[in-house]
């Protein structure tokens, strides 16, 4: 049963975003200032979209990744170390960081699949372990808590927009160069879950593990692969944040956990697994960024901002549970009618 277009949660998010932009602009016209607000907001949004995709990768199973921020941190360390000690080019350091993130994620997935322990417990324990590991690594291999390195292309990637490149009088839009990286991730994850056999089998595993096993799907391997994808995307988010900050530091990923859930949950991804919304994740992350930027311009205190964001997440989780209950009732209704026929 298809829902009408006006009840689509993605359309609702888009409407809310437009309304909030109009409200914040009316209260603070600087909200639409390109240099002050629009360009930095896009750079921040790339990070939160990708970290939302990292959480979405395991929510597809009905799992969660509470170590998403620390996976980003340890991956950023690996990339920063490679730039500082090995003097590798920018793309090579990125590949190293992504590989480390994928390996850490795969290790979490293997532990869950092999032991049957809940993903909440496994990733929470992993988060605590990685906190200590990241601190130890930076204290051992760097002079402080960060690698302040600038491989060729990093400063350009961090500071330039397409508007800085012109052909005669024709210049590009004021879009940061990091935005296409996030767009590639969005398209790749969308195609993966929508069109690839592996992505569909992960969703089937999240929908019903027993049914997936009976269908011949190697559910253990799919759990490992989904968590590896989550670790890889967390590493990409950590790299983008390091680019925006201009340093690979120990505190990268420290604020990732809440935004990683906000984007997918607001966008319509089911916590129970079996269904994801990549476009909804983008809209959910955009809504969070608009709220954060608008409240910052209105000079709201950080503590108050966290209260508002926490409230938004609570409402989103409640709506997710409501959707799940309604879906169960709709699926049960035909069976009851068939039984009474």
């Amino acid at each position: 049963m298809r829902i009408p277009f006006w009840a689509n949660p993605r359309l609702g998010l888009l409407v809310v975003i437009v309304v909030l932009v109009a409200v914040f602009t009316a209260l603070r016209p600087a909200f639409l200032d390109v240099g002050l607000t629009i360009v930095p907001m896009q750079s921040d949004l790339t990070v939160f979209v990708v970290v939302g995709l990292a959480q979405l990768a395991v929510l597809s199973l009905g799992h969660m990744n509470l170590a998403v921020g620390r996976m980003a941190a340890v991956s950023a360390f690996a990339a920063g170390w490679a730039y500082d000690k090995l003097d590798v080019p920018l793309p090579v350091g990125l590949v190293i960081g992504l590989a480390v993130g994928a390996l850490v994620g795969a290790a979490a997935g293997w532990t869950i699949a092999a032991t049957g322990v809940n993903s909440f417990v496994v990733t929470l324990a992993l988060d605590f372990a990685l906190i200590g590991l990241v601190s130890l690594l930076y204290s051992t291999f760097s002079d402080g808590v960060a690698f302040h390195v600038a491989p060729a292309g990093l400063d350009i990637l961090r500071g330039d927009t397409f508007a800085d490149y012109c052909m005669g009088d024709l210049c590009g839009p004021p879009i940061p160069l990091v935005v296409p990286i996030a767009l590639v991730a969005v398209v790749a994850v969308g195609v993966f879950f929508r069109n690839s056999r592996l992505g569909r089998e992960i969703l089937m595993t999240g929908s019903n593990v027993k049914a997936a096993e009976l269908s011949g799907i190697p559910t253990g391997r799919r759990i490992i692969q989904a968590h590896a994808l989550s670790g890889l995307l967390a590493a990409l988010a950590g790299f983008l944040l390091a680019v925006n900050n201009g340093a690979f530091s120990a505190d990268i990923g420290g604020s990732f956990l809440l935004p990683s859930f906000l984007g997918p949950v607001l966008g319509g991804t089911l916590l129970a697994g079996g269904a994801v919304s990549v476009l909804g994740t983008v809209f959910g992350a955009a809504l969070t960024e608009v709220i954060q930027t608008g409240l910052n311009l209105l000079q709201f205190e950080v503590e108050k901002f966290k209260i508002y964001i926490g409230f938004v997440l609570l409402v989103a989780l409640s709506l997710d549970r409501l959707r799940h209950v309604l879906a169960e009732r709709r699926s049960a209704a035909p069976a009851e009618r068939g039984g009474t026929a």
Side-chain angles (χ1 to χ4, degrees):
M1 180 179 178
R2 295 179 62 87
I3 61 174
F5 79 95
W6 49 264
N8 190 305
R10 293 181 291 275
L11 178 61
L13 279 175
L14 186 59
V15 171
V16 172
I17 291 170
V18 171
V19 170
L20 285 176
V21 169
V23 170
F24 287 134
T25 302
L27 295 174
R28 287 288 188 275
F31 187 84
L32 292 183
D33 184 279
V34 173
L36 176 66
T37 307
I38 300 300
V39 170
M41 188 162 58
Q42 291 178 79
S43 297
D44 292 340
L45 183 57
T46 60
V47 176
F48 293 125
V49 165
V50 176
V51 80
L53 294 176
Q55 197 65 249
L56 174 143
V58 292
L59 287 175
S60 65
L61 293 169
H63 291 189
M64 59 182 67
N65 183 0
L66 300 184
V68 64
R70 308 307 168 190
M71 289 182 182
V74 73
S75 302
F77 167 82
W81 177 85
Y83 292 135
D84 188 62
K85 306 300 182 184
L86 304 180
D87 197 28
V88 299
L90 185 65
V92 174
L94 171 59
V95 171
I96 291 173
L98 295 181
V100 170
L103 286 172
V104 175
W110 178 85
T111 304
I112 294 166
T115 64
V117 176
N118 189 280
S119 62
F120 177 92
V121 177
V122 172
T123 58
L124 181 61
L126 180 61
D127 182 65
F128 279 105
L130 290 178
I131 289 175
L133 177 62
V134 169
S135 298
L136 179 62
L137 289 172
Y138 273 99
S139 63
T140 303
F141 294 100
S142 72
D143 295 332
V145 293
F147 290 110
H148 296 280
V149 291
L154 182 67
D155 290 336
I156 294 174
L157 193 60
R158 176 167 63 97
D160 286 7
T161 70
F162 287 100
D164 297 316
Y165 301 90
C166 304
M167 295 181 62
D169 295 330
L170 181 63
C171 298
I175 297 175
L177 299 185
V178 294
V179 169
I181 299 176
L183 288 178
V184 169
V186 168
V187 173
V189 173
V191 170
F192 175 76
F193 280 111
R194 186 178 182 87
N195 299 110
S196 74
R197 177 178 177 180
L198 178 57
R200 291 194 298 269
E201 288 184 353
I202 288 174
L203 290 175
M204 291 177 64
T205 302
S207 179
N208 191 317
V209 177
K210 295 297 183 183
E213 289 176 347
L214 291 174
S215 300
I217 295 174
T219 56
R221 271 187 284 171
R222 298 299 174 259
I223 290 172
I224 295 172
Q225 290 158 344
H227 280 268
L229 177 60
S230 179
L232 184 145
L233 290 166
L236 179 58
F239 174 82
L240 292 173
L241 182 58
V243 169
N244 290 346
N245 292 343
F248 295 81
S249 59
D251 62 353
I252 280 180
S255 61
F256 276 5
L257 186 58
L258 184 58
S260 76
F261 281 101
L262 275 172
V265 174
L266 287 174
T269 295
L270 298 179
L271 292 177
V276 297
S277 176
V278 174
L279 182 60
T281 298
V282 175
F283 286 162
L287 175 61
T288 306
E289 183 61 29
V290 166
I291 293 173
Q292 178 173 337
T293 302
L295 293 181
N296 283 341
L297 286 175
L298 293 175
Q299 298 181 339
F300 269 65
E301 297 176 5
V302 175
E303 290 75 14
K304 291 183 179 179
F305 168 72
K306 291 180 179 179
I307 292 174
Y308 285 117
I309 292 299
F311 177 74
V312 169
L313 180 59
L314 178 62
V315 172
L317 293 174
S318 300
L319 291 176
D320 175 81
R321 178 58 185 166
L322 179 61
R323 288 199 305 268
H324 185 64
V325 170
L326 291 176
E328 287 181 341
R329 290 180 178 179
R330 283 199 298 267
S331 62
E336 291 177 355
R337 287 196 296 269
T340 57

